[in-house]
């Protein structure tokens, strides 16, 4: 094992130029989501490289998903490098190929894949095209070192993580391509920082509240019921009553950053009455809708989280005459947490100590990523995120990833995959 690990680490050093160039090539394909542009080009670029590295490659299109279209096909790619023993479960590395739109404020071309000052620049450099390159070249270091492992190693590039991953990892899991029967461990190289091993995320409860009033002439608002006034009563109660309660709760788990150790609620959107930029007539608003994003802790659980919201709404309604409202659940994601004694955590931690001389910091992400589908749909308990780039870079202008981080993550991933794929069966 040690001799093999030495050979693998030595091989990584010769892969730097190829890994950087591959990251640049990925950035140059603007796989922007929404709408889900150029996914097929991205999947093919990864698939072609994996094929050249000896993998069997499948392009898997989620053509039965509503977000799939001829203009924006949802094409995923999965490469399989066979292991020496057919009975072993595969070690799977997964990255998403989509990126969020570039937005404003860039000082470089977001899709040029520029290399400058020791960084690779561009939309997706950190989140997570460097991570995809790290996955490809970590495995390639094992292969090029001539080390034969027992388990198959799979590398996948999947779509739509930024919009929920339903045509990507969730789709692969729901059709059994990613499953507990065939896959022993999953590593997702999201940009958490090269010293951190991410073992899960908080829960999400997205819901919509609609208040209904009664339309009337705007010169005589006392004759109507304003749905906007009633929504303000709800917002005020959330601010005065719910937020202090949430601030008083703190998880025992290592959620980072520190502020996210408390549960949170955000108003994502609000709309009521007439369109502000439309032609105005004097009317009392008879409808107002708001979308809320409540992030909850493992300790809170979903049922109590939802009950607390419903009770708050009932309270506001009971003290506000004529307040009528309706609540609709939009998205529920339960928190996930990988067990502390999971072999995938142990393998990454040992690899990190060897490569960087430091212990890995276990963290829990404030937001969710594709881990939820691996855990909930595929039923694979052994999943973590570990990859290059800083989370603070994700979705920002002038997004970039340090080449040093890319190389560190390749070394760490290579040793961890070597251990996991060499070790006998992960239960
Ligand atoms: Zn990401």
């Amino acid at each position: 094992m040690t001799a093999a690990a030495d050979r693998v680490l030595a091989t990584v050093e010769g892969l730097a130029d190829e890994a950087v160039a591959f990251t640049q090539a990925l950035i140059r394909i603007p796989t922007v989501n929404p709408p889900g542009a150029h996914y097929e080009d991205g999947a093919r670029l990864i698939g072609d490289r994996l094929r050249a590295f000896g993998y069997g490659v499948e392009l898997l299109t989620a053509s039965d998903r509503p977000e799939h279209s001829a203009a924006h096909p949802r094409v995923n790619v999965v490469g399989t490098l066979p292991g020496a023993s057919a009975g072993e479960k595969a070690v799977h590395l997964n990255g998403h190929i989509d990126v969020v739109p570039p937005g404003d404020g860039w000082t470089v071309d977001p899709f040029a894949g520029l290399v400058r000052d020791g960084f690779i620049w561009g939309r997706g450099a950190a989140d997570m095209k460097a991570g995809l390159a790290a996955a490809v070249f970590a495995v390639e270091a094992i292969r090029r070192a001539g080390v034969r492992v027992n388990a198959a190693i799979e590398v996948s590039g999947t779509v739509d993580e930024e919009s929920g991953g339903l045509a990507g990892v969730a789709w692969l899991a729901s059709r059994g391509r990613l499953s507990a029967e065939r896959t022993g461990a999953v590593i997702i190289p999201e940009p958490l920082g090269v010293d951190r091993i991410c073992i899960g995320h908080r829960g999400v409860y997205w819901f919509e509240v609609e208040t209904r009033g009664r339309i009337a002439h705007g010169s005589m608002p006392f004759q109507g019921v304003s749905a906007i006034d009633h929504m303000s009563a709800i917002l005020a109660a959330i601010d005065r009553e719910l937020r202090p309660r949430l601030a008083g709760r703190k998880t025992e788990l290592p959620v980072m950053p520190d502020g996210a150790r408390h549960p949170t609620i955000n108003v994502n959107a609000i709309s009521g009455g007439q369109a502000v930029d439309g032609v105005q007539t004097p009317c009392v608003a008879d409808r107002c809708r708001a979308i809320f994003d409540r992030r909850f802790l493992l300790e809170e659980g979903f049922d109590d989280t939802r009950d607390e919201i419903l009770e708050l709404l009932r309270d506001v309604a009971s003290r506000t005459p004529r307040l009528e409202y309706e609540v609709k659940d939009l998205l529920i994601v339960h928190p996930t947490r990988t067990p502390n004694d999971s072999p995938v955590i142990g393998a990454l931690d040992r690899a990190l100590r060897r490569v960087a001389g430091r212990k890995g910091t276990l963290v829990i992400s404030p937001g969710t990523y594709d881990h939820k589908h691996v855990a909930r749909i595929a039923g694979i308990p052994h999943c973590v995120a570990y990859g290059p780039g800083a989370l603070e870079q994700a979705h920002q202008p002038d997004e970039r990833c340090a080449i040093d981080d890319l190389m560190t993550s390749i070394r760490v991933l290579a040793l961890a995959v070597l251990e996991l794929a060499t070790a006998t069966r992960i239960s």
Side-chain angles (χ1 to χ4, degrees):
M1 170 70 191
T2 307
D6 288 343
R7 281 216 313 278
V8 168
L9 282 181
T11 307
V12 171
E13 302 320 303
L15 294 174
D17 289 350
E18 281 176 75
V20 170
F22 189 62
T23 309
Q24 292 176 286
L26 284 169
I27 292 168
R28 287 175 188 143
I29 301 175
T31 46
V32 174
N33 179 24
H38 304 287
Y39 283 171
E40 186 162 1
D41 297 336
R44 282 189 189 283
L45 181 75
I46 296 164
D48 289 349
R49 184 59 62 104
L50 293 178
R51 207 174 283 112
F53 287 170
Y55 292 66
V57 172
E58 302 158 81
L59 291 178
L60 299 164
T61 303
S63 45
D64 55 342
R65 287 289 318 168
E67 52 276 53
H68 169 85
S69 68
H72 299 118
R74 266 43 195 176
V75 184
N76 300 285
V77 59
V78 184
T80 306
L81 197 60
S85 157
E88 298 295 327
K89 291 188 184 188
V91 176
H92 190 108
L93 302 172
N94 164 263
H96 62 85
I97 62 178
D98 57 320
V99 298
V100 295
D104 295 328
W106 288 77
T107 64
V108 300
D109 177 345
F111 299 110
L114 179 75
V115 168
R116 197 178 69 196
D117 306 329
F119 289 87
I120 310 165
W121 300 66
R123 175 52 83 228
D127 187 11
M128 57 176 290
K129 289 177 167 176
L132 276 163
V136 170
F137 284 91
V139 181
E140 179 59 6
I142 298 172
R143 192 188 73 100
R144 234 179 263 187
V147 177
R148 194 91 165 95
V149 294
N150 290 328
I153 303 173
E154 298 178 336
V155 175
S156 62
T158 50
V159 302
D160 285 350
E161 188 276 341
E162 299 290 1
S163 53
L166 296 180
V169 172
W171 184 80
L172 290 180
S174 64
R175 62 203 302 274
R177 183 59 189 85
L178 200 57
S179 72
E181 286 70 48
R182 62 193 291 177
T183 314
V186 178
I187 302 174
I188 304 177
E190 286 274 11
L192 272 305
V194 290
D195 292 335
R196 290 170 175 159
I197 301 166
C198 182
I199 58 171
H201 53 68
R202 299 191 299 176
V204 185
Y205 175 39
W206 272 9
F207 60 97
E208 177 189 296
V209 177
E210 179 173 321
T211 51
R212 299 211 189 95
R214 188 172 173 278
I215 194 164
H217 200 287
S219 68
M220 293 170 286
F222 45 83
Q223 290 187 339
V225 176
S226 168
I228 294 177
D229 287 353
H230 284 173
M231 186 63 78
S232 333
I234 291 171
L235 293 176
I238 285 174
D239 202 43
R240 276 201 310 264
E241 297 161 37
L242 183 61
R243 283 210 171 100
R245 280 209 295 275
L246 300 186
R249 290 177 202 154
K250 195 167 182 188
T251 181
E252 292 295 314
L253 298 176
V255 180
M256 61 98 203
D258 238 18
R261 292 211 176 179
H262 306 280
T264 52
I265 186 162
N266 183 56
V267 188
N268 284 5
I270 186 161
S271 128
Q274 306 169 77
V276 169
D277 51 3
V279 177
Q280 297 297 316
T281 51
C283 285
V284 173
D286 58 356
R287 236 164 73 101
C288 184
R289 288 160 67 206
I291 314 279
F292 298 88
D293 181 352
R294 169 82 162 82
R295 301 295 171 125
F296 60 98
L297 309 176
L298 191 72
E299 292 93 333
E300 292 182 296
F302 172 67
D303 291 341
D304 287 353
T305 296
R306 188 169 185 274
D307 286 348
E308 184 176 41
I309 296 290
L310 297 181
E311 195 185 316
L312 179 121
L313 291 169
R314 276 196 301 272
D315 277 1
V316 179
S318 71
R319 61 185 188 236
T320 314
R322 304 174 79 183
L323 193 159
E324 277 179 38
Y325 68 93
E326 197 179 316
V327 190
K328 216 192 291 173
D329 295 346
L330 298 181
L331 176 75
I332 298 155
V333 178
H334 295 274
T336 60
R337 185 200 172 175
T338 307
N340 275 346
D341 60 355
S342 179
V344 70
I345 298 175
L348 277 166
D349 188 51
R350 277 184 287 281
L352 192 57
R353 284 171 201 255
R354 164 104 198 249
V355 167
R358 314 184 270 273
K359 179 174 164 9
T361 306
L362 299 187
V363 298
I364 291 204
S365 166
T368 78
Y369 54 101
D370 279 331
H371 188 158
K372 56 183 175 276
H373 304 310
V374 174
R376 295 263 162 192
I377 307 177
I380 301 167
H382 304 298
C383 175
V384 297
Y386 174 83
L391 198 55
E392 301 74 45
Q393 284 292 323
H395 303 197
Q396 297 275 340
D398 282 351
E399 181 179 348
R400 58 196 179 273
C401 178
I403 293 171
D404 282 350
D405 281 3
L406 172 63
M407 296 312 296
T408 300
S409 70
I410 293 176
R411 292 181 195 105
V412 172
L413 287 169
L415 291 190
V417 170
L418 176 66
E419 181 184 322
L420 290 166
T422 304
T424 41
R425 180 169 287 278
I426 299 162
S427 58

